[in-house]
Amino acid sequence: MTGTPALAPCLRTVRAVVLDTDGVIIDSAGVHAAAWKGAFDACLSAAGIRAPFDAVDDYRRYVDGKSREDGAVAFLHARGLDLPLGDPGDGPGTATVRAVAARKERLFTRRLREHGVDVWPGTVRLLHALTAERVPCAAVSASRHATELLTSAGVLPLLRTVVDGDEARRLGLPGKPDPAVFLEAARRLGFPAGDTAVVEDALAGVEAGRRGGFGLVIGVDRTAGPTSAAELRGHGADVVVADPGELLTEGEGPGSAKETSADRRDADRTSSDRTSADRTRADRRSG
């Protein structure tokens, strides 16, 4: 008989959990990436640049986890474009950073209306298990749509609080890789960063969790690329999973000591891998 899902041992060391929304709870990263591609490719074409935006590699490296303006600036700089910031009221276009961001917003909203988004089932199972263990959870996002998406997906009741793009702007919180949004979420949950876990799929978000001094940083590797897990660890992830559902095991109930696939994967890392990741983090702190 299948037992009640139990939390992985790594999660039993924390008292609260903060999860990213896009790519961790909600399956919307692909919608964001497609909208960015439409906005960026138009901008690149207008500038006479032939190399298009890669909706996997470029999205993950420059845009994922960041605010719209920060992500736009990062990618455009990588392509050698230094557009003016523009005005907050700029409409969709290609002449300013805010115009490119507005074009992305229009494309994203259109895709949401046409196709909607789904939740990641493994993450929902994890949220239910954390709720059963009375571990409070929060969601963070650079997107202004996060609370709306979480509500429509039916997972908002599993979260104690949400710090989305609107809240971050209202509070004047800088975007990832600054840890401000994670620290604000932990504060609302009532626990210090050292007692809180961060679950993130974006490199900028993983780095933010490490910078914020969180007790556990879990990287979610949805792309399963040849270097993606190593990049997550290099940015500060303590554990890397393909899906947050791997942080559960069908044990005999709360407190089960049965090993999860996440524990096995982390245990299988060689000592040289651990030393390399530790050295990378030490170099980053000293820099």
Side-chain angles (χ1 to χ4, degrees):
M1 182 175 65
T2 302
T4 303
L7 299 177
C10 63
L11 283 176
R12 296 183 211 134
T13 65
V14 299
R15 302 169 67 191
V17 178
V18 179
L19 304 94
D20 180 48
T21 301
D22 297 301
V24 174
I25 302 175
I26 301 292
D27 185 8
S28 53
V31 183
H32 280 291
W36 274 121
K37 181 170 178 60
F40 281 139
D41 283 358
C43 184
L44 294 171
S45 177
I49 298 175
R50 295 184 177 181
F53 176 78
D54 188 297
V56 177
D57 292 338
D58 287 335
Y59 176 75
R60 186 167 182 267
R61 185 169 301 278
Y62 301 111
V63 177
D64 193 14
K66 299 178 182 178
S67 69
R68 284 202 301 270
E69 290 178 8
D70 288 347
V73 168
F75 173 72
L76 293 173
H77 278 181
R79 286 292 198 273
L81 287 178
D82 188 16
L83 296 184
L85 179 61
D87 298 319
D90 283 354
T94 61
T96 69
V97 169
R98 284 175 169 155
V100 174
R103 186 184 185 96
K104 180 267 175 180
E105 174 70 3
R106 184 175 67 180
L107 293 171
F108 179 77
T109 302
R110 180 187 302 166
R111 287 173 182 272
L112 279 184
R113 286 198 301 263
E114 293 174 353
H115 305 290
V117 293
D118 297 317
V119 294
W120 290 102
T123 306
V124 175
R125 290 196 301 272
L126 176 63
L127 286 170
H128 278 291
L130 289 166
T131 300
E133 291 277 2
R134 298 183 180 179
V135 178
C137 298
V140 302
S141 176
S143 173
R144 299 173 185 177
H145 298 279
T147 300
E148 174 190 354
L149 293 174
L150 292 165
T151 300
S152 64
V155 297
L156 194 63
L158 298 172
L159 302 164
R160 181 79 58 87
T161 188
V162 178
V163 183
D164 61 11
D166 283 331
E167 277 292 276
R169 188 175 69 257
R170 182 180 70 82
L171 296 171
L173 302 178
K176 306 168 191 175
D178 190 287
V181 290
F182 286 126
L183 293 171
E184 172 63 16
R187 184 193 68 77
R188 294 184 184 190
L189 293 177
F191 293 99
D195 291 336
T196 304
V198 162
V199 185
E200 253 285 4
D201 69 315
L203 297 177
V206 167
E207 185 172 340
R210 179 55 57 207
R211 287 189 186 184
F214 284 83
L216 177 67
V217 180
I218 298 170
V220 179
D221 181 18
R222 298 286 190 195
T223 63
T227 63
S228 53
E231 289 174 347
L232 287 166
R233 288 196 177 98
H235 279 72
D238 299 302
V239 176
V240 176
V241 296
D243 181 86
E246 295 180 18
L247 297 164
L248 296 172
T249 181
E250 300 298 326
E252 297 302 321
S256 168
K258 185 178 287 187
E259 190 178 49
T260 68
S261 57
D263 300 321
R264 290 193 296 272
R265 180 183 293 110
D266 198 47
D268 287 342
R269 291 174 60 195
T270 66
S271 59
S272 61
D273 288 337
R274 292 181 184 273
T275 300
S276 177
D278 293 341
R279 185 181 301 115
T280 300
R281 290 196 292 269
D283 290 344
R284 187 182 301 115
R285 287 195 297 271
S286 64

